[in-house]
């Protein structure tokens, strides 16, 4: 496996400086800690706040030995783009309580990070934007809707299906164990839709043995050693699965409505999916992205599908999460080249 710190050559690593910083969330109460990366060529350059995905994640987004955001930030700096990445509230060196945080708090944190970048990079506001990965794209898009001065927004493997549809289709692919959309997959989609509706309504009762049996059967297919890296458990009972579907930790994902914020976003947006993504299923999300763009008339939005890549934008075989740790790179360089070139095209001065 390529070590994250060695993922760039010596010349690229000398192309930037990296500094630990603290800054206030826009909520006015919470101090957050992060890392500011500045290209060596100067501070007056395009700048991005990196917004991480689901869960209590640190600034580097460490997954199975990979420091995804650290590698992304370094590669962006080598391309002349500054960045700020940060520990989520209640994680690492950041203050606050992650367990009680929701979309409002996460958006406030992004706004606070953006204001810090504006004050510490000498970059004009028209060159400061957002890059969100997975659920972080939902937060970034919402923040961009609230901040009309946002220069650009990049959504990397972020759902543009409704949150509920994305979760259901992702779990259906995990239950299927491969990317094939066949009758079995469609049956899983239907069954998971029923479970989500019942779990979120709070109407689950011990007197519903058929429902509990269905939940147990699906949980046995979804939760295993191969999916533990993203789901956090290698086994769940039927009642435990239903409890998870009704938990606060899934509320942001399940309640996501991309059209609500997207209609108010004024800046250019780049939407990027790996073709073998099973967490934000590329086939369905690409169609949803194109439909959203057409419906809202977003001529300055662009959509890219990157062949052979998974949710973490690694070159892969199956796209399933059990591959993540075995792949010998953190993030494919061509992904960063695509993102950096698009940002440069939108921030030329």
């Amino acid at each position: 496996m390529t070590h994250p710190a060695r993922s760039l050559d010596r010349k690229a690593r000398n192309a930037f400086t990296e500094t630990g910083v603290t800054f206030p969330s826009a909520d006015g109460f919470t101090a957050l800690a992060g890392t500011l990366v500045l290209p060596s060529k100067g501070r007056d350059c395009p700048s991005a706040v990196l917004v991480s995905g689901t869960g209590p994640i640190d600034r580097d987004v460490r997954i199975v030995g990979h420091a995804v955001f650290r590698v992304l930030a370094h590669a962006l700096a080598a391309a002349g783009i500054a960045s700020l990445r940060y520990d989520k509230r209640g994680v690492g060196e950041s203050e606050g309580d992650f367990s009680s945080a929701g979309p409002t708090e996460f958006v406030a944190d992004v706004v606070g990070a953006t204001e810090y970048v504006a004050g510490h990079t000498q970059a004009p506001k028209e060159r400061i934007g957002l890059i969100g990965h997975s659920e972080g794209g939902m937060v970034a898009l919402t923040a961009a809707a609230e901040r009309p001065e946002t220069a650009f927004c990049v959504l990397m493997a972020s759902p543009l299906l409704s949150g509920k549809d994305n979760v259901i289709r992702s779990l259906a692919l995990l239950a299927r164990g491969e990317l094939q959309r066949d009758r079995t997959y469609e049956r899983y989609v239907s069954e998971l839709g029923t479970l989500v509706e019942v779990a979120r309504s709070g109407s689950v009762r011990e007197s519903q043995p058929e429902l509990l049996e269905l939940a147990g059967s699906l949980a046995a297919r979804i939760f295993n050693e191969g999916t533990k890296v993203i789901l956090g458990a290698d086994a769940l009972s039927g009642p435990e699965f239903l409890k998870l579907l009704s938990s606060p930790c899934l509320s942001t994902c399940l309640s996501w409505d991309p059209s609500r914020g997207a209609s108010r976003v004024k800046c250019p947006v780049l939407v990027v999916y790996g073709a073998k993504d099973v967490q934000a299923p590329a086939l369905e999300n690409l169609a949803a992205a194109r439909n959203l763009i057409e419906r809202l008339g977003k001529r300055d939005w662009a959509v890219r599908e990157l062949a052979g890549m998974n949710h973490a934008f690694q070159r892969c075989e199956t796209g399933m999460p059990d591959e993540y740790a075995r792949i010998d790179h953190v993030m494919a360089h061509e992904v960063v080249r695509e993102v950096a070139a698009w940002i440069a095209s939108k921030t030329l001065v």
Side-chain angles (χ1 to χ4, degrees):
M1 178 187 300
T2 301
H3 191 281
R6 301 192 183 104
S7 60
L8 295 175
D9 60 30
R10 185 183 299 275
K11 181 179 179 181
R13 291 199 301 273
N14 290 335
F16 60 86
T17 59
E18 190 167 39
T19 308
V21 301
T22 58
F23 60 91
S25 169
D27 69 3
F29 305 103
T30 310
L32 303 172
T35 300
L36 182 66
V37 180
L38 296 174
S40 299
K41 70 175 187 178
R43 290 170 173 250
D44 184 10
C45 57
S47 303
V49 172
L50 307 186
V51 189
S52 59
T54 306
I57 300 175
D58 71 6
R59 69 190 74 181
D60 289 337
V61 187
R62 297 178 185 275
I63 303 172
V64 293
H66 297 314
V68 178
F69 268 17
R70 183 183 180 199
V71 167
L72 175 59
H74 290 181
L76 288 170
I81 299 169
S83 67
L84 174 60
R85 63 192 192 273
Y86 58 93
D87 299 329
K88 280 191 171 180
R89 54 174 60 211
V91 179
E93 299 177 21
S94 288
E95 295 179 355
D97 178 13
F98 177 81
S99 64
S100 64
T104 299
E105 290 76 20
F106 295 144
V107 169
D109 296 346
V110 173
V111 172
T114 305
E115 292 173 351
Y116 181 89
V117 170
H120 291 79
T121 65
Q122 298 176 6
K125 287 186 177 181
E126 62 268 19
R127 304 188 81 189
I128 302 173
L130 308 172
I131 301 176
H133 179 254
S134 196
E135 184 184 295
M138 304 179 191
V139 178
L141 197 63
T142 305
E146 294 188 5
R147 297 188 78 257
E149 62 268 45
T150 301
F152 60 85
C153 187
V154 180
L155 309 181
M156 301 183 70
S158 300
L160 284 175
L161 285 169
S162 73
K164 176 184 167 184
D165 285 345
N166 188 76
V167 168
I168 288 170
R169 291 188 176 278
S170 175
L171 291 176
L173 286 175
L174 293 176
R176 186 69 182 85
E178 57 184 345
L179 290 169
Q180 192 169 351
R181 273 77 164 180
D182 55 10
R183 289 183 180 179
T184 300
Y185 163 76
E186 293 298 341
R187 174 165 60 84
Y188 290 152
V189 168
S190 176
E191 292 172 343
L192 284 161
T194 298
L195 292 184
V196 169
E197 285 294 330
V198 172
R200 303 300 291 180
S201 71
S203 61
V204 179
R205 295 179 176 81
E206 294 296 331
S207 60
Q208 297 174 287
E210 291 182 2
L211 184 67
L212 293 173
E213 183 179 351
L214 175 60
S217 174
L218 286 168
R221 298 197 60 87
I222 294 168
F223 294 87
N224 51 60
E225 283 294 335
T227 62
K228 184 177 180 180
V229 62
I230 61 169
L231 298 179
D234 58 8
L236 282 186
S237 67
E240 288 171 334
F241 185 29
L242 289 168
K243 184 177 180 180
L244 173 65
L245 293 176
S246 64
S247 66
C249 72
L250 273 182
S251 62
T252 300
C253 290
L254 288 169
S255 62
W256 169 240
D257 176 4
S259 63
R260 192 165 53 217
S263 63
R264 296 186 290 116
V265 172
K266 304 300 182 184
C267 66
V269 175
L270 174 64
V271 181
V272 188
Y273 294 108
K276 292 187 175 182
D277 191 338
V278 297
Q279 292 175 250
L283 179 66
E284 294 84 355
N285 275 293
L286 281 163
R290 290 167 178 141
N291 288 337
L292 183 66
I293 290 169
E294 182 178 359
R295 180 160 57 86
L296 297 179
K298 295 291 189 179
R299 295 185 178 182
D300 55 355
W301 286 41
V303 179
R304 305 279 192 274
E305 179 182 15
L306 301 179
M309 294 189 190
N310 62 19
H311 189 66
F313 293 99
Q314 299 169 304
R315 293 179 291 274
C316 65
E317 294 296 328
T318 69
M320 291 294 156
D322 62 337
E323 282 187 312
Y324 293 176
R326 300 196 302 269
I327 295 173
D328 66 355
H329 58 280
V330 179
M331 179 179 283
H333 291 300
E334 54 264 41
V335 180
V336 184
R337 285 198 299 268
E338 182 85 29
V339 170
W342 180 86
I343 291 174
S345 74
K346 301 302 178 183
T347 56
L348 294 174
V349 293

